[in-house]
Amino acid sequence: MTSIKKIYLVLFLVFFSYHTLADTIDLERKFIIYVKLPLVPKISVMEIATSLNIKNHKYFYKFGIKSKNIVEFVNQVNGNGEVVGVIDEIYRPTNYSYKYTRKKKEKYVEISYSNNVVRKILNLPKLDRSELSLVSDEMLVGTIDPSTFFLNLLDYDKTEQCKKQFKIFDGKRRYDVVFKNINKNIKNNSIECEANQIRLGGYKKDENVSDVFAASDYIKVIYSNNNNEFIGYEAKNGPIKIIIEEIK
């Protein structure tokens, strides 16, 4: 092999290796969910362990939820789920599954997607949708699952710098999260992004939803003003505030 061919071979291998490594990401992160009532210190109630693998514009996301402290006004949840999807400006799922236990009852939900359209919904035990407000097929176009929604929130750019509207469906409830305001907190050197959660379908009439993730009065996502790194998530349902912080 001539010296020129050797040089080209080395350059090719360096270029190929660089892009292969650049397109592959393995990342594990842990988060704590706290609840906060007025005049009472926040209490840790759940821990979320996540694992993200990205390769060739596809992502594989696994998460495990484990309850920590028993709090009367928050349902204990323990479960595991995973999502497979593609990265198309934002993370978009192609298959989502979640098996969990709540109120000592085992439940399972699976959603399959094709071309941003929901193709299959499986709930075990089966839901009685006659008791719920309508979720039409049209309302499911362009939706993502709750865990993928959270994954997008971890990346400031995936929120279009806090201007994006997310369409979310958890297998039962359909809601939008619409970012409406962005503030720079000079004191904390942070970016605070405020959003509204709009209930659209899958809720019982006059339902007092205890799941603050499916029914929030307001949502706030906080990023660092230095590098746009995720700092925290806040949501409020009545007097109950939910706070999510990453374990560093």
Side-chain angles (χ1 to χ4, degrees):
M1 182 181 295
T2 66
S3 58
I4 294 178
K5 288 183 177 180
K6 288 181 179 178
I7 292 172
Y8 276 120
L9 177 61
V10 169
L11 289 175
F12 171 78
L13 290 174
V14 170
F15 179 84
F16 178 79
S17 299
Y18 171 80
H19 282 275
T20 301
L21 292 172
D23 290 340
T24 303
I25 295 175
D26 284 294
L27 185 61
E28 294 185 357
R29 303 172 77 169
K30 289 186 177 181
F31 304 86
I32 292 289
I33 300 179
Y34 300 89
V35 296
K36 176 76 171 65
L37 287 173
L39 306 177
V40 178
K42 65 183 183 182
I43 304 171
S44 61
V45 292
M46 295 179 196
E47 181 176 305
I48 305 175
T50 68
S51 173
L52 174 65
N53 174 267
I54 297 176
K55 188 174 182 179
N56 299 328
H57 302 289
K58 295 182 180 180
Y59 73 96
F60 304 85
Y61 194 52
K62 293 185 177 181
F63 58 94
I65 300 175
K66 183 178 180 181
S67 292
K68 293 172 65 67
N69 297 306
I70 299 176
V71 179
E72 182 180 350
F73 45 84
V74 176
N75 291 326
Q76 282 194 305
V77 177
N78 294 282
N80 294 281
E82 60 181 43
V83 191
V84 178
V86 296
I87 304 174
D88 177 19
E89 295 184 354
I90 67 170
Y91 295 101
R92 288 197 175 278
T94 54
N95 188 267
Y96 161 79
S97 62
Y98 178 36
K99 183 178 182 180
Y100 62 101
T101 302
R102 176 184 290 169
K103 295 182 179 180
K104 299 182 179 180
K105 295 181 180 179
E106 291 189 357
K107 299 186 179 184
Y108 177 79
V109 57
E110 182 176 345
I111 308 173
S112 298
Y113 308 78
S114 178
N115 297 320
N116 294 333
V117 176
V118 172
R119 298 299 185 188
K120 174 188 174 184
I121 307 168
L122 174 63
N123 282 282
L124 298 174
K126 190 174 181 180
L127 296 176
D128 183 358
R129 296 194 180 274
S130 66
E131 299 179 349
L132 307 174
S133 54
L134 176 67
V135 177
S136 65
D137 291 341
E138 291 77 13
M139 292 169 63
L140 297 179
V141 175
T143 58
I144 60 177
D145 64 274
S147 58
T148 296
F149 166 62
F150 181 68
L151 180 59
N152 279 299
L153 292 187
L154 297 177
D155 188 337
Y156 180 68
D157 290 333
K158 293 288 190 296
T159 70
E160 295 180 0
Q161 292 76 48
C162 299
K163 298 176 184 176
K164 189 164 182 64
Q165 173 177 334
F166 290 96
K167 300 178 179 181
I168 303 154
F169 177 61
D170 65 5
K172 176 183 177 182
R173 301 185 181 106
R174 170 71 178 88
Y175 54 90
D176 282 353
V177 173
V178 182
F179 282 96
K180 62 172 184 174
N181 199 14
I182 179 171
N183 299 303
K184 291 194 175 181
N185 190 320
I186 298 175
K187 181 179 179 181
N188 296 326
N189 195 28
S190 63
I191 302 171
E192 298 182 351
C193 303
E194 298 176 2
N196 285 334
Q197 187 173 31
I198 304 170
R199 304 185 205 180
L200 297 175
Y203 296 85
K204 292 182 180 180
K205 186 178 181 180
D206 300 325
E207 179 180 12
N208 181 18
V209 182
S210 59
D211 184 353
V212 74
F213 297 103
S216 302
D217 300 330
Y218 82 87
I219 291 172
K220 181 191 293 183
V221 188
I222 307 167
Y223 302 92
S224 168
N225 193 35
N226 292 330
N227 54 15
N228 297 337
E229 184 180 70
F230 174 85
I231 294 177
Y233 172 100
E234 294 181 8
K236 193 169 182 292
N237 185 345
I240 303 173
K241 180 185 287 187
I242 290 290
I243 301 169
I244 303 178
E245 297 176 354
E246 184 170 2
I247 303 174
K248 297 294 187 178

